[in-house]
Amino acid sequence: MDALYPRLLVRDFPASAAFYQGVLRELLGVEPVKVLPGYANWDIEGEAGLVLFGRDRLAAAVGTADLPQAAQDTSMLVMKVGDVDAAAAVLARHGATVVAPPQDRPDWAPTLRTAHLRDPEGNLIELQSY
């Protein structure tokens, strides 16, 4: 179900994908489910274990592309939810700040809807539904 998993936001996608592909294969016997330009994911026992995503793509989505790379996000927590709009309202009610409101992202995946928020510590959270 992939309800909750980490996503690393990487600058050098090819090097990072090669690193994790080798490490996860050797240590856990896990092969990537999908490797695309700027996106790769590995499942462990049928659940998302790790996702890599090009940092520049996400920076554009959450409005941090103009910041120096050292100030851009390097990771985020992803939550799959049934209703992105309702979930975003719940997080906001609990103190999260909306940085990218709920929206469809057909350029990322055909039926993907996301919202991006920051928790009270500034950590980036993506809510998503397919």
Side-chain angles (χ1 to χ4, degrees), residues 19-86:
F19 172 81
Y20 282 103
Q21 192 165 3
V23 167
L24 295 176
R25 176 183 293 133
E26 192 167 331
L27 295 179
L28 302 177
V30 175
E31 295 295 331
V33 174
K34 185 185 302 181
V35 179
L36 303 169
Y39 179 89
N41 72 294
W42 290 262
D43 286 359
I44 299 170
E45 297 180 12
E47 296 287 324
L50 176 66
V51 174
L52 300 181
F53 198 74
R55 187 182 300 179
D56 56 338
R57 293 179 69 196
L58 193 68
V62 300
T64 60
D66 293 336
L67 295 177
Q69 283 197 3
Q72 291 179 359
D73 296 289
T74 58
S75 64
M76 73 176 168
L77 189 61
V78 177
M79 294 184 207
K80 280 194 176 176
V81 297
D83 182 334
V84 169
D85 299 69

Side-chain angles (χ1 to χ4, degrees), residues 97-130:
T97 303
V98 176
V99 294
Q103 59 195 284
D104 295 331
R105 299 246 184 224
D107 53 322
W108 290 4
T111 60
L112 180 63
R113 185 165 181 77
T114 69
H116 292 89
L117 301 96
R118 292 194 184 281
D119 72 12
E121 287 289 318
N123 297 301
L124 190 59
I125 300 169
E126 178 178 284
L127 301 172
Q128 62 174 228
S129 65
Y130 286 92

